[in-house]
């Protein structure tokens, strides 16, 4: 999970020209790297980390925390992140959404994105 998260952060900087920080968001729509296979690889990376920690400590409370966290992430993605990206990147984001799944990686071929 940590390696995947680092890869996503690198892609934000290299392709998007920005960071995770709200004060310096990517200036370009990031659709390469892990983002070619799933729209939210950063959240899935954190998901992998949290599930791994839950298994490591064998805690049902930690697993419950994960489900609460994932529900909150869904609300954030649906209520803020996707509408914001749609306003900022318009038709190119719509094409991206039409070709790449939100949560489940699609490992097949993808059309090129602008």
């Amino acid at each position: 999970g940590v390696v995947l998260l680092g890869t996503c952060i690198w892609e934000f900087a290299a392709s998007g020209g920005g960071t995770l920080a709200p004060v310096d968001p990517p200036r370009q729509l990031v659709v390469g790297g892990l983002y070619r296979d799933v729209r939210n690889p950063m959240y899935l990376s954190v998901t992998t980390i949290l599930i791994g920690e839950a298994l490591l400590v064998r805690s049902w409370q930690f697993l419950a925390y994960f489900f609460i966290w994932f529900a909150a992430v869904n609300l954030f993605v649906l209520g803020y992140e996707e509408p914001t990206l749609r306003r900022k990147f318009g038709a190119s984001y719509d094409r991206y959404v039409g070709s790449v799944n939100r949560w489940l990686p699609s490992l097949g071929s993808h059309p090129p994105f602008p």
Side-chain angles (χ1 to χ4, degrees):
V2 172
V3 170
L4 295 175
L5 185 59
T7 301
C8 293
I9 293 168
W10 176 263
E11 195 67 41
F12 255 45
S15 303
T19 67
L20 315 182
V23 296
D24 185 28
R27 291 173 280 293
Q28 301 293 320
L29 181 61
V30 179
V31 297
L34 296 173
Y35 290 88
R36 273 191 83 61
D37 299 314
V38 65
R39 291 196 320 255
N40 295 295
M42 203 172 300
Y43 295 125
L44 291 177
S45 299
V46 174
T47 296
T48 303
I49 293 167
L50 291 175
I51 290 173
E53 289 175 339
L55 292 171
L56 184 67
V57 298
R58 297 175 191 242
S59 166
W60 67 267
Q61 293 96 337
F62 201 92
L63 195 57
Y65 166 76
F66 160 73
F67 285 112
I68 293 167
W69 175 84
F70 195 70
V73 166
N74 270 288
L75 291 173
F76 177 74
V77 166
L78 294 171
Y80 173 76
E81 195 169 80
E82 288 183 357
T84 300
L85 291 170
R86 187 165 277 112
R87 280 191 303 277
K88 185 172 183 177
F89 297 112
S92 61
Y93 182 71
D94 288 334
R95 284 190 297 277
Y96 179 61
V97 166
S99 300
V100 179
N101 294 329
R102 180 183 291 126
W103 296 119
L104 298 175
S106 52
L107 302 176
S109 62
H110 302 289
F113 301 109

